[in-house]
Amino acid sequence: MKVHNGSERWDGEADVVIVGFGAAGASAAIEAADNGAQVLVVERFDGGGATAISGGIYYAGGGTTQQKEAGVDYDTPSAMFDYLKHETSGVVSDELLEDFCDRSVENLQWLEALGVPFEGSMAPRKTSYPTNDYYLYYSGNELAPPYKDAAEPAPRGHRTKGRGTSGKVFFKALEKAARKRRIDVRRQTIVSSLITDDSGTVIGIECREVDPRAKVLRHLHRVLGSSNRKWNLYYRPIGRLMDAPIRRIEAAHSVVRRYRARKGVILAAGGFVFNREMLKQHAPRYLNGTGLGTIGDDGSGIRLGQSVGGSTDRMDRVSAWRFFNPPIVMTEGVLVNKEGERICNETLYGAKIGEHIADQTDVSAYLVIDSRMLADAKRQVPEQTLWFQRLQTTYLFSVGHKKGATAEELARRTGIDPAGLARTLEQYNDDRRAGRPDAMGKDPAHVTPLVDGPFYAIDCSIRIQAGFPCPVLTLGGLTVDEWTGAVTGDDGVPIPGLYAAGRNAVGICSESYVSGLSIADCVYSGRRAGAVVSRDPGVA
């Protein structure tokens, strides 16, 4: 934090200054501009953040056009609320969650008006991510108990229409909309501190821009930033090699800029999954996951808020993804810990499975399947997977597993307690044969006795595996006033001039994650902050 002494020169000013140009920052900028505000956005790299490298899923319901196209004409905001009430577990008030659900159709239509393409082609089966033939699916836990008992299940995962992971298509539309509105986006600029006046009101930012005169280094910074983002997603050790030169360019070849915010500053700079110290402090069990995002997700936005007295919450909440479906037959296996005890319903959403794994000894877990399931899985791969999913199955079905002629032999080779695994398989098999409900509530369609040796164990632990990464992202952040997005202190009082959105802030997605909920929260909270700040009379 820096206090403006009145003599320092401003390099520019705007009504609204936004830190970060991902889904939250772009949504805030567009909303503020449409309300007549002059907007300046500061972005460390080229923009997009975690959104641009995501699957482009947007969680929406209550009767969207795409749901109706798919014949899902029964979903309501109330049903969406009843489901999300279980997922969010009180992280926001019922009133705010109701507002989020009531505005869901409206916000999706807002995105469509900006050029984000969606479609109502319904995926025929539960999957972690549909193929290029489908763009609407069950993207969370809607079909599993206790969720399906609380609300009638409805598909709410709206995948942006585009081949492969379509987050880039989603963000490209937002970027184009921002450009059309002549929103000033200052790229390759990293914010170092917030600037306040004598009363503590946030009135601007100080940052470092990679020197525009150093064209070669600026180009190198852009290339390294783009490559780093891709490699971090697929193989962090290579991405890590680019961290140091990126930071050297930023430290040694940048110029200081100060920008004044006439109405307020909005922090929208992502989470902190790439800050090892913060992760170790708040969520050490997730340290061996694969960070999902960019190295800009280093907690800098959160720490900027803290520097002026902002409080944080839910910093221990992290989403770890353990997706082994598709192929769908993999859900017929049993997921056990080192003691051989079954962990959860295997048809749950991958992040919920990851949450259960994080609770185990040494965050270890193993999916046990038999030879019949493996053979069926190999047959299902061509029809049910996209290229990145095929890479994973190729690894898992070739070298990424342990094998045993019997369940006991498999247990010994894997380090699972043989007696514990034997008890688990006996109960699982006996319950199915006797027609009893599955102990974990799994649908009978996905419960088949494991009897055909040899048996296989896939390591689903939260640890680095080259062919089977476990993506993680942080969910906690700065506390904010629910209806304005204003950052609040330990006493709950808003800090004048400062707002936060997306993963910088506690919001809808800060307790648990399902596909599309984070981007939906970014749009919702970003638009909220943009609207509020643009209407604020501002500072003198």
Side-chain angles (χ1 to χ4, degrees), residues 85-98:
K85 176 80 169 165
H86 278 263
E87 293 286 7
T88 55
S89 300
V91 70
V92 295
S93 68
D94 284 357
E95 292 76 16
L96 187 84
L97 186 59
E98 286 177 353

Side-chain angles (χ1 to χ4, degrees), residues 272-286:
F272 61 92
V273 74
F274 280 94
N275 186 315
R276 300 290 294 176
E277 290 304 314
M278 288 181 71
L279 202 60
K280 184 177 181 180
Q281 176 187 354
H282 298 289
R285 299 180 74 81
Y286 297 91

